[in-house]
Amino acid sequence: MLLCVGAARAATPPPAPAVPLTRLDHILLWGRGIDQVTSVMAVKLGFQVRPGRDPGGVANRYIRFADSSFIELLGITRPNPTFDPGMKEDQQALKGGPGSRSFGFRSSSLDAIHRSLQALHYAVTPFFAGPDSAKPGWRLFAFDRAPLSSNTFFIDYAADYAPDQFDPGNTADHRVSREHPNGARELSSIWLVSGDAEADRRQLERMGFGHAVPVKLTAVGAKGFCVPVGPTALLALQPDGAGLAAKTMAEGGPRILGVSFGVSDLGRAQRWVERGYERALPTYRGLWGESVLAPSQDDLGLSIEFHAMQPARSPCAGAAVSQ
């Protein structure tokens, strides 16, 4: 599932049509080690972490949510691990430290999207399937050169694919595996940071994701655009004065700056993170309403935002509100 993702060649055809069933699916989050990142996510932040595999010296684990999205945790477990091209590129950019610079769009219309991007002269890869040829559970394509400041790919799954369960037919296990002590229920948005938010916005529009709305995130010192992707939002950001965004760019360059999660009880999530980090945390008015930002940058290389879940609405409806 970890592939090199790539970029667009210049072309003039009209933008590809956005597919209504497309949404943000997951991020790939590297830790300093698999146990370190698991501990931070579970103990300090209150997520339930599910088992994964360790096929070649790079272990993975999962944090799955009720809306079908997830986080894939990664960590090196032995010297000279076997990297695929995407892993190698991530590790070079992250310099072996924690962080994330790859994320996936999920769609049931992969073939149509693949054809549309080819027609626009994007350097898309062939399709890949896994976890094995006998019973592939997922199918994806990526890019030979990244069109955005962080790597991306498009993915979909077989209806019965459940990599973190021994018995995919056990619905009770399926439900419990998506319940978290911090109350997290859904992935709401992924925040990209680069030196040119407008360049990411243009590429997203060309790929079929238009309707961008200007946004300003005072909490991390960033500004840019909120781009709706189905029920989720992709934020294309750049530093806006001093702050976490500028610090991140100076120390590590373009990457995923943060991820937002809707929780059933914001007070519970806030208390969990305050106990985990042994400090009081203020709430603020964010893109999704009342929110709290976990001080996880040093541990994870990105920020985790929790917000109170909102009734169904446009994912960028709150973008005009200064955070």
Side-chain angles (χ1 to χ4, degrees):
M1 193 177 295
L2 306 167
L3 296 171
C4 182
V5 219
R9 297 171 184 161
T12 55
V19 180
L21 296 180
T22 304
R23 59 157 295 148
L24 296 175
D25 186 63
H26 72 282
I27 67 167
L28 308 178
L29 176 57
W30 290 87
R32 293 186 177 89
I34 194 64
D35 291 332
Q36 178 265 344
V37 69
T38 297
S39 175
V40 171
M41 298 302 280
V43 177
K44 290 188 174 182
L45 295 172
F47 292 105
Q48 180 187 177
V49 181
R50 303 288 294 175
R53 300 173 61 242
D54 184 359
V58 179
N60 68 350
R61 292 174 185 168
Y62 297 96
I63 298 171
R64 297 192 170 273
F65 301 99
D67 68 347
S68 78
S69 64
F70 64 99
I71 304 173
E72 184 171 359
L73 307 180
L74 299 168
I76 297 170
T77 58
R78 63 171 172 79
N80 302 314
T82 302
F83 288 138
D84 67 29
M87 292 179 183
K88 185 175 182 180
E89 185 179 348
D90 276 357
Q91 280 295 294
Q92 288 174 343
L94 295 170
K95 299 180 176 63
S100 177
R101 54 186 311 278
S102 295
F103 71 98
F105 294 96
R106 181 175 183 175
S107 178
S108 59
S109 302
L110 290 187
D111 294 284
I113 296 173
H114 193 267
R115 288 193 298 269
S116 295
L117 294 173
Q118 280 184 317
L120 289 167
H121 304 290
Y122 280 90
V124 292
T125 69
F127 284 94
F128 299 86
D132 58 62
S133 57
K135 188 180 180 183
W138 50 263
R139 193 168 68 115
L140 68 76
F141 71 87
F143 298 84
D144 288 326
R145 293 179 302 279
L148 303 174
S149 57
S150 283
N151 290 336
T152 192
F153 50 91
F154 287 81
I155 190 167
D156 196 24
Y157 307 91
D160 61 349
Y161 179 57
D164 58 344
Q165 296 172 207
F166 293 106
D167 181 6
N170 190 324
T171 56
D173 282 359
H174 180 89
R175 175 182 55 80
V176 171
S177 71
R178 284 141 178 84
E179 294 178 355
H180 301 280
N182 59 23
R185 301 282 297 169
E186 62 186 16
L187 184 154
S188 308
S189 55
I190 295 173
W191 314 354
L192 309 184
V193 66
S194 72
D196 189 350
E198 171 64 17
D200 275 346
R201 185 205 65 78
R202 289 195 304 267
Q203 285 290 352
L204 286 164
E205 183 175 45
R206 186 165 177 267
M207 293 166 68
F209 302 105
H211 310 290
V213 179
V215 67
K216 185 172 183 178
L217 278 66
T218 304
V220 294
K223 65 180 180 181
F225 303 94
C226 177
V227 180
V229 183
T232 57
L234 185 60
L235 306 188
L237 305 171
Q238 66 187 47
D240 183 29
L244 187 57
K247 181 175 182 288
T248 299
M249 283 293 294
E251 294 179 353
R255 63 184 58 209
I256 295 174
L257 177 66
V259 188
S260 299
F261 297 99
V263 297
S264 57
D265 184 335
L266 183 61
R268 186 203 311 169
Q270 181 180 5
R271 291 190 297 273
W272 193 289
V273 177
E274 287 179 335
R275 288 194 297 268
Y277 281 92
E278 299 183 342
R279 69 183 76 172
L281 298 172
T283 60
Y284 57 91
R285 185 73 181 175
L287 176 65
W288 300 95
E290 188 178 7
S291 307
V292 64
L293 192 69
S296 56
Q297 193 72 27
D298 290 343
D299 287 330
L300 301 176
L302 55 68
S303 294
I304 300 290
E305 181 188 68
F306 297 107
H307 65 83
M309 292 180 64
Q310 299 291 330
R313 65 169 189 172
S314 168
C316 294
V321 179
S322 176
Q323 301 183 54

